[in-house]
Amino acid sequence: MTLSIALGLGELSSRLRGSAQTLLVLATAVAAMAMARPLMAIYATYVDRPDGKWLRDYFLWSGRVSALLWLASAGCMAAVLARRGPVGVAVAAALVVTTAITHPFRTVAEWTTFEHGHVWATAVLAIVYQWSYVAAFAAAVYLIGRDAAPVPAEPVRLVTGLERIGTALVARVVLAIGVATFTMMAIGAKSPGLGKLLVTVGPVALLATAIAHVSGLFTAARDGAGPRLRLVGAGALTLWSMTATACQAVAAYRVARDRWSRGDMDSWERDRFEAVASALPNLIPLIALAGLLLLLSAIASVRARRPAVAASTPGAAALWLVGGTLAALFLQRYALRNVHDVGEFVMLTLLVATANVIATIAVARCCHQTAWAFRTLDPDALPPARVVDRNPM
C-alpha cells in the first residue's frame, strides 16, 4: 500500500505546476521514505531476527519516525487542498485526522483502541480507521487531480510498458523451467549445495521478473490515451500478489535453512513460518489471475480502438489463463490428497505446468505483438531519433 501511495503521488505531482507540484513532490518523497519501516519489519521477521533489545528500541523509534513521515506527507497534501475552497479545507482536515489515527504515535494509539480484551471492538475500529483514511485520501487525490493538467497521450510509454511486460513473462517461464530442471538434478544427485543455490537464487531472479512486470504495467499506464485505469488496477493486483508470493518464498527459505543448520528455531516460530509459506493458497493465484485478465482487457481495448493492430487474440490467452490457474488449484486441493500413484501424479503435474506455460507465453505474445504493431503502424509510438556525429574530425 505504501508503494502504491508513493507511485500515485509521484504520478499526480507530474501533472501539477508551481508550488503545488513542489508540495506533491515532497509528499511523494516522504511517502517513499516511509517504506523503510515495512521493509525492515519483513527483514527482521522473515530473514534475520535481531536481539530483543534492538528490536524494542527500533520499533519504538521507527514508529515515531513513521508517524511523523505520514503526517508530513498528509500536511503537504493538505497545503495544496487548502487552496481548493471550503471543500478542500474540510478534506484536508479529514486527511490529517485520519492519517494521525491510522499511522499513530503510541499515545494516540492508546486513546483510539482498547488495551485489553474487546478483540472484536478493536478489530472493527481498525477497519473503520483504515477505510476512513482511504476515503479521505481518495477524496484528496480527486480534488487535487481534478484541476491538474490531463495526462498527455504518449504511445511510446504504452509500447515500452507492453514490451517490458512480455519480456518479464517470458523470463519467468524460462526461469521456472530452469529451476525445475536443476531441482530434479539436485534430487537425483542428492546435492545439498545445489539445493541451497536454487532456493537462494531462484526467488531473487523471480523478484527481478516481478519488478519488471509491475514497472511495465505502471509505465504503460502513463499513456494518457490508453486504458489507464485497467493498467493501474492490473499493476496494483500484480504487485500485491507478487509481494505475498515473495514473503512466502522467504518464509519457506527460513524453514529450509533451519533444517539445513542445527535447527535454532523453536517450534512456535517454525510453525509460524510454515503457516506463512502455505497461507492463502487460493486467494493469491486468483488475484494474480485478475491482474493478468485486466492486462488482457486493456490490450483488447487498445486493439478495438485501432483495428489495424494485428495482434494475437487476448480472448484465447484469457481462456488459457483461467484454465491453467484452475488446473493448478485443482492439483493443489484435490490431486495431492487423492492421487496415490507416482506416475499419475507426475503426469498431472506436467499437464498443469504445460497449461500454465502456454498461458503465460500467450499473454507475453499478446503484449509483444501489440507493441510491435504500434511501432509499425504509429510513428508517434517510436522514441525520437537522435543524430550522433561519431566523426572525431
Side-chain angles (χ1 to χ4, degrees):
M1 180 177 177
T2 305
L3 178 59
S4 299
I5 289 174
L7 291 172
L9 291 177
E11 169 67 20
L12 188 60
S13 66
S14 65
R15 297 167 53 193
L16 299 175
R17 294 294 179 268
S19 60
Q21 183 181 41
T22 303
L23 288 169
L24 260 294
V25 168
L26 287 174
T28 304
V30 171
M33 287 189 290
M35 285 187 58
R37 189 168 190 254
L39 290 175
M40 185 60 194
I42 292 173
Y43 178 85
T45 303
Y46 300 116
V47 181
D48 189 12
R49 187 177 182 85
D51 63 87
K53 183 180 183 305
W54 189 94
L55 276 178
R56 284 192 299 272
D57 293 340
Y58 167 75
F59 281 110
L60 173 63
W61 287 100
S62 65
R64 295 171 178 173
V65 172
S66 177
L68 283 174
L69 290 174
W70 283 110
L71 283 173
S73 178
C76 291
M77 296 181 67
V80 179
L81 288 167
R83 307 171 187 177
R84 300 296 196 273
V87 176
V89 173
V91 173
L95 178 63
V96 173
V97 171
T98 54
T99 301
I101 296 175
T102 310
H103 306 279
F105 291 102
R106 175 173 292 184
T107 304
V108 176
E110 292 175 354
W111 293 341
T112 57
T113 57
F114 295 100
E115 289 187 12
H116 304 290
H118 306 285
V119 177
W120 286 104
T122 300
V124 170
L125 284 175
I127 294 173
V128 171
Y129 295 154
Q130 188 68 35
W131 281 104
S132 299
Y133 171 73
V134 170
F137 186 83
V141 170
Y142 171 75
L143 285 179
I144 295 173
R146 184 177 59 181
D147 301 326
V151 179
E154 297 177 295
V156 64
R157 295 190 182 276
L158 178 64
V159 170
T160 303
L162 290 178
E163 287 178 339
R164 192 179 303 165
I165 296 166
T167 302
L169 291 174
V170 173
R172 192 183 307 168
V173 170
V174 173
L175 183 64
I177 294 174
V179 168
T181 303
F182 281 102
T183 300
M184 289 188 289
M185 291 173 59
I187 294 173
K190 298 181 179 180
S191 172
L194 186 55
K196 292 179 181 179
L197 180 65
L198 286 172
V199 298
T200 304
V201 176
V204 174
L206 283 173
L207 180 62
T209 63
I211 292 172
H213 185 173
V214 174
S215 67
L217 285 166
F218 285 123
T219 299
R222 297 188 68 183
D223 175 23
R228 303 186 70 229
L229 186 59
R230 273 173 278 189
L231 289 170
V232 170
L237 292 175
T238 305
L239 179 61
W240 187 92
S241 65
M242 289 181 174
T243 302
T245 303
C247 290
Q248 289 182 319
V250 174
Y253 169 72
R254 283 294 306 277
V255 174
R257 189 178 69 176
D258 182 68
R259 289 171 180 168
W260 296 329
S261 61
R262 295 170 296 177
D264 296 329
M265 286 195 298
D266 55 34
S267 59
W268 179 84
E269 190 175 15
R270 188 182 302 109
D271 291 342
R272 184 165 60 93
F273 280 124
E274 289 176 351
V276 170
S278 59
L280 306 177
N282 298 326
L283 182 62
I284 293 176
L286 289 176
I287 288 180
L289 172 65
L292 289 173
L293 290 177
L294 278 177
L295 169 62
L296 291 174
S297 174
I299 293 175
S301 174
V302 170
R303 290 187 59 197
R305 282 184 281 181
R306 302 206 177 194
V309 174
S312 56
T313 306
L319 290 177
W320 276 108
L321 270 175
V322 174
T325 302
L326 294 180
L329 293 176
F330 164 78
L331 180 67
Q332 178 179 330
R333 303 294 296 177
Y334 173 79
L336 289 180
R337 299 177 181 177
N338 296 276
V339 175
H340 304 290
D341 182 74
V342 176
E344 186 179 355
F345 173 76
V346 171
M347 182 61 66
L348 279 173
T349 303
L350 290 176
L351 287 174
V352 171
T354 302
N356 279 282
V357 166
I358 293 174
T360 306
I361 293 297
V363 178
R365 188 164 176 260
C366 275
C367 295
H368 278 146
Q369 286 190 346
T370 304
W372 294 337
F374 262 79
R375 290 195 182 278
T376 303
L377 299 174
D378 192 349
D380 294 333
L382 297 173
R386 293 186 306 161
V387 177
V388 179
D389 186 4
R390 299 187 181 274
N391 188 352
M393 302 300 292

